[in-house]
Amino acid sequence: MQVWNQGYLAELPYPHHVQPQLAPSWLVALQTALGQRASSLLSGFRYCELGCGQGLNSLLLAASNPEGQFVAVDFNPQHIAHGRRLAAAAQLSNIEFVQADFTELLAHSGEGYDFIVAHGVYSWVAPAQRAVIRGFVEQRLNANGLLCLGYMCQPGMAPLAAAQRFIWQHAQYSKGSPPQRVQAALDALQALQQGGAGYFVEQPEMARLLARSAEQGLDYLAHELLCEHWQPLPVADVMAEFASLGCQLIGSAIPLENIDAVSLPGNCLAAIQGLTDPLLRETAKDLARNQAQRSDLYQRGDQALSTMAHRHALLDSCWALLPAAPAPGAVEFSTRIGPLQGAAELYQPLLQALGEGPQSFAELARRPALAAQVGQLSGALQLLMWAGYAHPLLHSPVDVSRCQALNRLLAEGALQGVGYAHLAAPSLGASVPADKLEMAAARVLLEHPQLRGVLLSETIQALLRRHGVTVEQAAERVQQFEQRTLPGWQVLGVVP
Ligand SMILES: C[S@@+](CC[C@H](N)C(=O)[O-])C[C@H]1O[C@@H](n2cnc3c(N)ncnc32)[C@H](O)[C@@H]1O
């Protein structure tokens, strides 16, 4: 088997990562918050993921969005085989896996897409492949369509470039599996660091960055770093390239980053707001945040809503609380520029209301305790969404059974040691994270929905034992699961 394909690691399958910001319901909620007209998810939509890895993102979305047609593309045959296998086993007919490199893809014409997403691809491929991705967007993104582009950017990633190049070169000469080659390169770098290499002396944060990266696992690191064309990109270049295709940057898929007051150092705000050129302003924001990764939203055509239409679109949105949400009260958000206090006057009634069940924005705004703070509601919901405490709900019909069929396979796989850590949540049109114990719980409840209390706890623990999975304080954790997570999962349709 080839180790690299066009400079990208091909020997090792990419881990089963899931990016919440790629869900259509999430993207639409952001477009709405940003005052842009969004595609209707009700009337059917087409979605394409470029560089889909093993396909879990697209599979979860296809299961939880029966109105959508999904196409997931990757040139790695192992990746596509995995995606196809799972799609067939879960009987998902609204997803197609295409094994092709981006150049082959561009050579074929076809229908347009309402959403094109590419996460973790654009700054890892050669400039010529980036041009092909842009060509695909130009050819296939519909007039109202949205592109979500996740990539490494400057300046946050720039200092790593010299170390990454060393790791790449070192891996060309070393032997063994990709994780072994990464480890050997990291060891060589560490020897340089311990020898007092100027790179580490003058940039002390590099040693920390490399140590932190190593904690993410060697498989992941191999994909991140064993790459010929690794290149953090300046946002202004990316914006200019997509502007030439008629695609404007409307904001970030990471909700916090759209709220300057809570994502930029306060003392930089005036200087940034004084910059009138959008490219320069965005570059200044990246400098202010020392931004390392971006998740850009590019919209084709001017889709700005009038004030009235924006208000209606916000009022129409529906929201659900997620199991990780804190109890009603003040909320502390941990941001890159420090802790941010969410006031109890706002978050107490908001969390209380969402805790009673999913609510529309209009219903929330009518609550007496929130009526006087309606102007802050959208920002508060965006922050709850960013923190993983709330999620927009689908307006379209929900198909619980197909999600639960996929969830059964994912839970079984996770117990057998496959690195699945998400389950489909049909009401969200998205997924929820699930650790090993929660995967075992899902597996039991999908088979025996009525089990509760001691019987549920013992069955889950027996299943974990049977698969050789050790969970600390399993009995207490199952109790917490039953009290906190299970009711939320049932509302969202994760389990019956
Ligand atoms: C870093 S992974 C990202 C996977 C997934 N999008 C995620 O973020 O979890 C990049 C993926 O792009 C694929 N890829 C890289 N270059 C490609 C090309 N030229 N054509 C098609 N797929 C490519 C790789 O096989 C890999 O699965």
Side-chain angles (χ1 to χ4, degrees), residues 5-6 8-10 12-19 22 49-55 57 73-76 79 98-104 117-122 124-126 129 133 220 223-224:
N5 184 352
Q6 299 178 36
Y8 191 88
L9 187 61
L12 181 75
Y14 191 74
H16 297 287
H17 288 179
V18 168
Q19 311 297 336
L22 302 187
E49 182 176 9
L50 298 175
C52 63
Q54 297 200 63
N57 244 318
V73 183
D74 205 289
F75 65 4
N76 184 327
H79 288 176
V98 176
Q99 188 199 321
D101 90 7
F102 302 135
T103 315
E104 291 170 297
V117 304
H119 182 269
V121 178
Y122 200 63
W124 281 265
V125 295
Q129 287 292 320
I133 290 176
Y220 173 67
H223 274 276
E224 287 292 298

Side-chain angles (χ1 to χ4, degrees), residues 9 35 67 78 93-94 107 190 259 275 283 307 342 353 380 416 447:
L9 187 61
E67 306 294 313
Q78 292 183 80
S93 55
N94 62 335
Q190 203 181 20
I259 312 175
L275 299 169
T283 304
T307 311
Q416 283 157 18
E447 205 64 50

Side-chain angles (χ1 to χ4, degrees), residues 97-371:
F97 279 94
V98 176
Q99 188 199 321
D101 90 7
F102 302 135
T103 315
E104 291 170 297
L105 191 69
L106 186 63
H108 292 94
S109 55
E111 280 183 69
Y113 293 101
D114 304 298
F115 300 93
I116 296 179
V117 304
H119 182 269
V121 178
Y122 200 63
S123 44
W124 281 265
V125 295
Q129 287 292 320
R130 289 206 290 274
V132 171
I133 290 176
R134 290 196 299 279
F136 184 76
V137 169
E138 181 173 26
Q139 203 181 76
R140 305 289 280 277
L141 187 64
N142 286 342
N144 300 340
L146 188 72
L147 164 72
C148 180
L149 189 75
Y151 61 97
M152 277 182 296
C153 65
Q154 296 189 8
M157 275 294 181
L160 193 60
Q164 185 278 333
R165 200 66 202 161
F166 174 84
I167 293 170
W168 159 256
Q169 285 172 303
H170 195 279
Q172 304 306 296
Y173 301 110
S174 57
K175 297 257 175 310
S177 67
Q180 286 165 335
R181 293 186 199 212
V182 174
Q183 188 60 63
L186 288 176
D187 291 346
L189 270 180
Q190 203 181 20
L192 285 174
Q193 185 208 337
Q194 285 165 354
Y199 177 69
F200 292 101
V201 175
E202 288 181 26
Q203 302 181 89
E205 78 282 10
M206 286 319 303
R208 254 186 302 119
L209 191 64
L210 284 172
R212 238 193 5 243
S213 313
E215 284 164 17
Q216 295 176 307
L218 289 173
D219 282 14
Y220 173 67
L221 220 52
H223 274 276
E224 287 292 298
L225 298 174
L226 295 191
C227 182
E228 184 175 2
H229 304 292
W230 190 100
Q231 192 185 357
L233 301 167
V235 63
D237 292 6
V238 181
M239 282 174 78
E241 285 163 353
F242 282 97
S244 72
L245 313 178
C247 297
Q248 305 305 330
L249 181 77
I250 59 162
S252 171
I254 309 302
L256 181 86
E257 291 176 4
N258 295 319
I259 312 175
D260 289 353
V262 297
S263 66
L264 291 166
N267 292 337
C268 293
L269 281 175
I272 291 171
Q273 277 153 9
L275 299 169
T276 47
D277 177 67
L279 278 65
L280 195 57
R281 202 169 48 240
E282 214 50 40
T283 304
K285 286 185 183 180
D286 280 356
L287 286 167
R289 299 185 181 119
N290 193 28
Q291 191 94 16
Q293 303 271 350
R294 292 185 59 100
S295 213
D296 286 351
L297 296 177
Y298 288 94
Q299 185 152 313
R300 188 157 226 179
D302 184 7
Q303 299 295 322
L305 294 168
S306 67
T307 311
M308 187 60 90
H310 185 200
R311 194 164 166 268
H312 282 303
L314 280 176
L315 288 170
D316 264 3
S317 64
C318 286
W319 295 84
L321 206 61
L322 295 181
V331 183
E332 185 173 295
F333 298 98
S334 165
T335 77
R336 281 185 67 184
I337 60 166
L340 168 73
Q341 304 303 327
E345 299 88 83
L346 178 59
Y347 285 92
Q348 206 285 335
L350 180 53
L351 289 168
Q352 176 83 42
L354 291 171
E356 291 165 20
Q359 310 271 331
S360 69
F361 193 112
E363 285 167 325
L364 292 169
R366 277 199 296 272
R367 297 237 165 186
L370 292 170

